[in-house]
Amino acid sequence: MSALRPVLTGRGAGPPTPDVRLGRRERTLVGLAWGALLLNVLTYADTATVVPLPTLVGSALTQGAVLVALLLALVVNPGGVVRPQVFLLLLTVLAIGASAASLYSEFFLSATFRAGRMVLFVAVLWLLSTWFGRRDMLLLRLHRTALAVVMATVYLGALVAPGLAFAFQDRLAGVVWPIPPTQVAHYAAVLLGTSLLLWMCRLVGGLRAGLMVLLSLLPLVATHTRTAVIGVLLGMVVASLSLLLGHVRVRRTLLVAGGGGAIAAALFISPLTVWLLRGQSADEANKLTGRTDVWSAVADLERPWIEDLFGWGLSDQSFGGLPIDSSWVATYVDQGWLGVGVQAAVLLLLLLMAVVHRPGPERAIALFLVVYCMVASVTETGLGAPSVYLLDLAVAASLLTTGWRARQP
């Protein structure tokens, strides 16, 4: 019995089970570290806000947050215990490639700074990897809490200054902290999808889930972001199908949603079309609000083979002064075909992990997050650099991790 004591208590050489109960201090530190990572990717834009901050101060808060996250991760994991992760290994390759490309970049200082930030970002994820695979889905809960806090600031801004919040083409944006409509839609979409799946798996009560769904659905609609809506729909279909055999509530929900959706589409086809077009012409919608013009310019780009293979270092993900708005195109520009290949490998790895994972809420939520990020990657940047998309995928990896028991930090 004495030989088992280290295993049961989590002290000494024995590894605790993934269910070992966390103390309040440890949970708080992990949550603060995750929140600091999210703050780090809330890029401060020079736009009108309720409480204007100098751009230098706002940028310092976001960019310095990764150092705070690293400090908190080291405090909660002083031994530097990490969990073997192919997912994080691929992100490390991406960060190393970005660092190498920055050495010969024309914008050496900015590219090197961004690459260093990415290295620190990935390092924090390694330090938090010891909490991957927990059956209480700790990182998912922390991620949802952090996103809910961000969405609370969006609601506050809309209540305090509605004119300012809807100033951009009548689309909801964050104005307490500057958050563009596309990102507001992203946070709302993740909260919406995960709330529905947790309810369908009977992990949260109906009242709590219903409130969260309502509070997520309203800003999603108010942002008029088509990519987010498509991502939610496809992600929910894939995730729900993975639960179809074992959950009666899932089958009933799919039946009701399918029938109700068909009826709503037939009755409200005209307003739905207006909502989807957002006042654009059919030609503008087909060009994805000008995105395809930028992508065509990138396709016509001629550069040395080494830049074609490794890119020219991390940039602000624009081309010719215009936003690229595609993870695949932006990664090709910044990190070359190597970056594109690693990015594709990350998504493929998570899909394969989901295929072999046991059916249940972990697999369903992970599938939702991966599918959503795949859809969003077409018209949004983020998979090749520190972003909330990488945090989404890290949560998915944590849900799909099994079979290894980490030593207590």
Side-chain angles (χ1 to χ4, degrees):
M1 186 67 181
S2 60
L4 295 177
R5 190 171 294 114
V7 177
L8 298 176
T9 62
R11 296 190 296 270
T17 69
D19 288 323
V20 64
R21 189 173 183 83
L22 295 181
R24 179 176 298 179
R25 174 181 177 276
E26 183 180 2
R27 186 182 297 273
T28 300
L29 288 173
V30 174
L32 289 175
W34 193 267
L37 282 182
L38 182 60
L39 176 60
N40 179 240
V41 298
L42 290 179
T43 306
Y44 192 85
D46 188 15
T47 58
T49 56
V50 174
V51 182
L53 286 176
T55 303
L56 184 62
V57 174
S59 298
L61 288 174
T62 57
Q63 294 171 8
V66 71
L67 296 174
V68 176
L70 180 63
L71 177 62
L72 290 168
L74 287 171
V75 170
V76 73
N77 187 0
V81 178
V82 298
R83 187 166 190 170
Q85 282 286 325
V86 178
F87 166 75
L88 292 179
L89 183 61
L90 289 173
L91 292 190
T92 303
V93 172
L94 205 59
I96 293 174
S99 301
S102 68
L103 297 178
Y104 57 84
S105 174
E106 295 180 3
F107 38 94
F108 173 79
L109 290 178
S110 60
T112 302
F113 176 82
R114 292 187 179 98
R117 172 181 168 230
M118 185 170 184
V119 169
L120 293 177
F121 185 90
V122 175
V124 176
L125 290 179
W126 272 113
L127 289 171
L128 297 180
S129 65
T130 191
W131 288 276
F132 280 31
R134 290 183 56 86
R135 294 173 192 165
D136 60 1
M137 298 187 283
L138 175 65
L139 293 186
L140 171 66
R141 294 164 61 188
L142 295 177
H143 191 50
R144 282 172 48 83
T145 299
L147 292 180
V149 170
V150 175
M151 289 304 302
T153 68
V154 174
Y155 267 101
L156 179 61
L159 291 173
V160 173
L164 191 59
F166 288 91
F168 180 73
Q169 300 176 352
D170 291 328
R171 301 173 65 186
L172 177 63
V175 292
V176 172
W177 188 270
I179 306 173
T182 52
Q183 289 302 300
V184 173
H186 178 179
Y187 308 147
V190 171
L191 286 172
L192 173 63
T194 54
S195 297
L196 282 172
L197 289 169
L198 288 170
W199 171 75
M200 287 194 292
C201 294
R202 302 181 186 276
L203 294 179
V204 296
L207 180 60
R208 179 182 173 187
L211 181 61
M212 185 58 72
V213 167
L214 178 63
L215 293 178
S216 303
L217 183 60
L218 291 176
L220 179 60
V221 173
T223 59
H224 286 260
T225 304
R226 295 167 293 209
T227 302
V229 173
I230 296 172
V232 168
L233 292 177
L234 290 181
M236 286 301 301
V237 168
V238 174
S240 299
L241 289 177
S242 75
L243 295 168
L244 201 58
L245 296 179
H247 294 77
V248 175
R249 178 177 286 183
V250 173
R251 295 194 290 271
R252 291 174 179 170
T253 302
L254 278 178
L255 184 62
V256 172
I263 295 173
L267 293 177
F268 304 104
I269 184 65
S270 180
L272 284 174
T273 302
V274 172
W275 185 90
L276 289 171
L277 287 176
R278 295 192 319 232
Q280 297 175 336
S281 66
D283 184 61
E284 289 175 325
N286 289 334
K287 289 185 177 181
L288 301 177
T289 321
R291 289 181 174 92
T292 55
D293 294 333
V294 180
W295 301 346
S296 297
V298 172
D300 295 336
L301 176 67
E302 294 184 5
R303 56 183 181 175
W305 69 268
I306 191 168
E307 290 186 359
D308 208 35
L309 184 59
F310 297 107
W312 54 29
L314 293 184
S315 67
D316 60 357
Q317 299 183 328
S318 66
F319 185 80
L322 297 173
I324 294 176
D325 284 340
S326 170
S327 283
W328 301 99
V329 180
T331 300
Y332 166 71
V333 170
D334 289 355
Q335 295 162 278
W337 288 114
L338 174 65
V340 171
V342 174
Q343 183 174 288
V346 167
L347 296 173
L348 181 60
L349 169 69
L350 292 174
L351 289 176
L352 291 176
M353 289 173 65
V355 168
V356 300
H357 197 277
R358 65 180 181 274
E362 293 91 349
R363 183 172 75 167
I365 294 172
L367 280 171
F368 169 79
L369 292 172
V370 174
V371 172
Y372 180 86
C373 288
M374 290 175 67
V375 172
S377 69
V378 177
T379 60
E380 297 292 334
T381 55
L383 293 187
S387 68
V388 72
Y389 292 103
L390 286 189
L391 292 180
D392 292 339
L393 294 180
V395 171
S398 75
L399 294 172
L400 297 172
T401 299
T402 57
W404 192 87
R405 295 183 176 184
R407 181 180 297 185
Q408 198 72 326

